[in-house]
Amino acid sequence: MAVAIDKSNCVGCGECVQQCPLDALKIEDTKAVVDEGTCAECGACIDACSEKAITL
Ligand code: SF4
Ligand code: SF4
């Protein structure tokens, strides 16, 4: 399991990437993408996203 990223809301700011303790997020083609095998569903990136683009 992993967070879901709504690409239509993501503005590619990279805040979530900075906050992920497991390095499970990266920016690809100006949108955040999650490595589903790495994400531990800690929720840190959800709070970091001002666009509310990340959900569990
Ligand atoms: S914090 Fe939100 S808007 Fe910014 S890159 Fe991550 S998902 Fe996209
Ligand atoms: S929920 Fe936690 S582990 Fe998963 S991508 Fe977000 S910050 Fe990283």
Side-chain angles (χ1 to χ4, degrees), residues 5-22:
I5 297 165
D6 182 345
K7 291 195 173 177
S8 60
N9 284 348
C10 176
V11 296
C13 68
E15 269 308 309
C16 56
V17 178
Q18 298 296 323
Q19 294 303 319
C20 179
L22 298 178

Side-chain angles (χ1 to χ4, degrees), residues 3 16 19-22 24-25 34 38-46 56:
V3 289
C16 56
Q19 294 303 319
C20 179
L22 298 178
L25 293 162
V34 62
T38 303
C39 174
E41 300 189 336
C42 73
C45 57
I46 296 173
L56 263 177

Side-chain angles (χ1 to χ4, degrees), residues 12-55:
C13 68
E15 269 308 309
C16 56
V17 178
Q18 298 296 323
Q19 294 303 319
C20 179
L22 298 178
D23 215 13
L25 293 162
K26 62 182 174 180
I27 303 295
E28 214 171 77
D29 295 332
T30 75
K31 303 289 181 182
V33 292
V34 62
D35 179 341
E36 296 186 357
T38 303
C39 174
E41 300 189 336
C42 73
C45 57
I46 296 173
D47 295 335
C49 181
S50 58
E51 307 302 316
K52 303 205 184 309
I54 310 177
T55 51

